């Protein structure tokens, strides 16, 4: 069985304040979920907590760039180190956010990992909103939690989108977006970028289990993938305890089935959970529902027959038809020009070749002091086994997810 390691990331740095005299409450989410025996029910190891810097927007004003950018960058580096160390141990990280800016730390960890194994890591982005606001499509930016998908795909200011000189952390063709609303503000930008999406109507029409399998197929050329879940993918009729509830979401049962399908493979490397706000859950009933869903959804990870995380060999990524839908990724000519901001460099093909479809067990390279957390390699097989890769909300809106 695979062992889960639960890591708290109680940051609220990526959100605008709900009122002029308060701070977002999602930093309390990890504690609220732990209070419902999450770790015991998952039989998980406690991987501790990455404590965020103080929430203080100061005199930030529209036009100043992403609020708390320096703090988010430092926090993301620390989070990436801890996620990498969990994966080095052969464990399955479950990161409890916090707001959606935790994705930057996860993305950095995945890019490091992909570099180490000579392949690309994909992203399954389960969220009620596309979080794709960036300088190329908005008048100003500000709340990283509403810009996280744009940032991790290389759009936006370099102090967040290019940590360690890595940009992008995920290639557009290696991202699958599930659960956005049919009229999401940036849905056409996602399409122009070649990012594959399945909004709620299509997800429901196909079913959660088939959608999970479809997501696998979209990322078949990746060495592995990370799963981001923002609980505002749920309909506010069943989950109003988020900072930006939006009608038209899915039900808890659908999220459970979707999660179970996504993690039921050794190529799923970990999951993060974001944006639950206990300030809107005074009796803890929503926290209990989330915990029930997460425990049931992660059952395939802890099943006796589950195997440790594995990565496929690195593969070349020449543009071509996307598996599962047969749609080629759009080219600049097909879309009237490159939809990305000018500062984003072309996404180069990764190193590595198609050596085999067989998975490889991950092993650390040397001690953490020399290799760095998350620096993994595929072990060499014995010779007899060797065969002959914010704008934030408008100023009048409180909070953003």
């Amino acid at each position: 069985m695979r062992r889960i390691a639960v890591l708290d990331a109680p940051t609220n740095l990526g959100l605008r304040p709900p009122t002029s005299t308060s701070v977002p409450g999602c930093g309390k989410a990890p504690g609220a979920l732990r209070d419902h025996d999450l770790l015991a029910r998952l039989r998980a190891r406690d991987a501790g907590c990455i404590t965020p810097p103080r929430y203080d927007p100061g005199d930030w004003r529209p036009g100043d760039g992403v609020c708390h950018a320096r703090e988010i960058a430092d926090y993301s580096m620390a989070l990436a180190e801890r996620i990498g160390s969990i994966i080095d141990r052969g464990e399955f990280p479950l990161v409890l956010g916090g707001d959606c800016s935790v994705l930057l730390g996860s993305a950095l960890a995945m890019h490091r990992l992909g570099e180490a194994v000579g392949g690309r890591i994909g992203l399954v982005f389960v969220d009620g909103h596309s979080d794709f606001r960036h300088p190329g499509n908005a008048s100003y930016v500000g709340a990283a939690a509403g810009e996280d998908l744009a940032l991790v795909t290389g759009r936006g200011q370099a102090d967040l989108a290019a940590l360690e000189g890595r940009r992008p952390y995920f290639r557009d063709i290696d991202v699958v977006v599930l659960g956005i609303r049919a009229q999401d503000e940036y849905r056409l930008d996602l399409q122009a970028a070649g990012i594959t999406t399945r909004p709620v109507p299509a997800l429901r029409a196909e079913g959660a289990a088939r959608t999970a399998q479809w997501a696998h197929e979209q990322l078949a050329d990746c060495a592995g993938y990370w799963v981001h879940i923002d609980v505002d993918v749920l309909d506010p009729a069943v989950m109003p305890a988020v900072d930006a509830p939006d009608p038209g979401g899915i039900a808890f049962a659908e999220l459970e089935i979707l999660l179970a399908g996504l993690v039921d493979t050794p190529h799923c490397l970990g999951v993060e959970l974001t944006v639950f706000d206990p300030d809107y859950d005074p009796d803890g009933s929503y926290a209990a529902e989330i915990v029930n869903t997460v425990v049931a959804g992660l059952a395939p990870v802890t099943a006796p027959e589950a195997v440790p995380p594995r990565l496929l060999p690195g593969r070349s990524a020449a543009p071509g038809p996307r598996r599962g839908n047969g749609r080629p990724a759009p080219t600049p000519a097909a879309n009237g020009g490159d939809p990305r901001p000018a500062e984003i460099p072309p996404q180069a093909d990764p190193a590595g070749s198609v050596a085999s479809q067989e998975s490889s067990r991950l092993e650390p390279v040397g001690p953490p002091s020399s290799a760095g957390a998350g620096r993994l390699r595929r072990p060499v097989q014995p010779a007899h086994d060797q065969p002959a890769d914010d704008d934030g909300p408008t100023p009048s809106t409180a909070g953003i997810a």
Side-chain angles (χ1 to χ4, degrees):
M1 63 184 299
R2 298 170 72 180
R3 187 180 189 187
I4 295 172
V6 176
L7 173 63
D8 291 3
T11 178
N12 55 9
L13 296 171
L15 292 171
R16 294 286 302 277
T19 70
S20 61
T21 58
S22 63
V23 301
C26 62
K28 305 171 186 175
L33 298 176
R34 284 173 175 254
D35 280 349
H36 290 270
D37 298 322
L38 176 62
L39 272 71
R41 294 175 64 184
L42 291 173
R43 299 181 181 179
R45 180 175 73 86
D46 189 339
C49 174
I50 305 294
T51 303
R54 181 185 300 276
Y55 182 93
D56 182 9
D59 58 357
W60 179 91
R61 295 292 182 271
D64 292 346
V66 176
C67 188
H68 293 117
R70 180 177 177 180
E71 291 82 1
I72 291 172
D74 291 343
Y75 190 75
S76 298
M77 299 278 285
L79 183 57
E81 288 294 321
R82 190 72 66 86
I83 291 172
S85 68
I86 292 171
I87 293 177
D88 279 351
R89 294 169 59 113
E91 296 175 325
F92 184 95
L94 170 60
V95 179
L96 303 179
D99 68 64
C100 287
S101 67
V102 301
L103 180 58
L104 275 74
S106 306
L108 178 59
M110 293 302 104
H111 195 278
R112 290 176 178 175
L113 178 58
E115 180 184 75
V117 301
R120 294 153 22 231
I121 308 300
L123 170 67
V124 180
F125 187 83
V126 183
D127 200 304
H129 307 91
S130 61
D131 294 353
F132 203 61
R133 183 176 54 246
H134 59 79
N137 64 14
S139 58
Y140 68 92
V141 296
E147 298 147 15
D148 51 295
L149 184 57
L151 289 165
V152 301
T153 54
R155 296 164 171 87
Q157 57 199 61
D159 56 352
L160 292 175
L163 294 171
E164 299 181 346
R166 303 170 186 273
R167 186 174 190 156
Y169 311 126
F170 298 110
R171 292 166 46 124
D172 292 344
I173 62 171
D174 297 332
V175 176
V176 177
V177 174
L178 306 176
I180 61 172
R181 307 313 192 241
Q183 299 303 313
D184 186 89
E185 183 177 4
Y186 300 111
R187 67 193 184 283
L188 298 181
D189 293 329
L190 295 175
Q191 180 180 347
I195 294 176
T196 302
T197 65
R198 181 165 282 186
V200 170
L203 191 161
R204 285 195 144 156
E206 292 295 327
R210 288 183 180 178
T211 293
Q213 178 58 39
W214 174 81
H216 294 170
E217 294 168 357
Q218 302 307 303
L219 301 177
D221 289 337
C222 292
Y225 62 82
W226 181 263
V227 177
H228 163 90
I229 296 178
D230 181 335
V231 296
D232 71 15
V233 72
L234 295 160
D235 193 273
V238 298
M239 172 45 62
V242 297
D243 105 291
D246 197 1
I250 64 175
F252 273 107
E254 292 170 305
L255 179 57
E256 176 188 322
I257 294 169
L258 181 64
L259 176 58
L262 292 172
V263 304
D264 193 13
T265 168
H267 307 308
C268 179
L269 301 173
V271 172
E272 66 190 20
L273 193 70
T274 65
V275 175
F276 168 55
D277 190 336
D279 284 350
Y280 301 117
D281 184 27
D283 65 358
S285 58
Y286 299 123
E289 287 279 9
I290 292 171
V291 168
N292 290 339
T293 299
V294 170
V295 170
L298 292 182
V301 177
T302 57
E305 64 274 14
V307 296
R310 294 179 178 177
L311 296 182
L312 294 172
R315 299 182 62 181
S316 176
R322 299 294 299 268
R323 295 186 55 146
N325 62 8
R327 247 188 327 108
T331 62
N335 290 289
D338 191 341
R340 296 173 295 174
E343 76 272 15
I344 301 174
Q347 298 178 352
D349 286 343
S353 61
V354 184
S356 167
Q357 288 294 329
E358 186 173 350
S359 305
S360 301
R361 179 70 178 271
L362 300 175
E363 290 185 351
V365 180
S369 60
S370 63
R375 303 293 181 172
L376 310 176
R377 62 171 169 82
R378 296 186 303 278
V380 177
Q381 295 176 318
H384 64 273
D385 289 333
Q386 293 282 359
D389 155 315
D390 192 66
D391 115 14
T394 57
S396 62
T397 304
I400 178 87

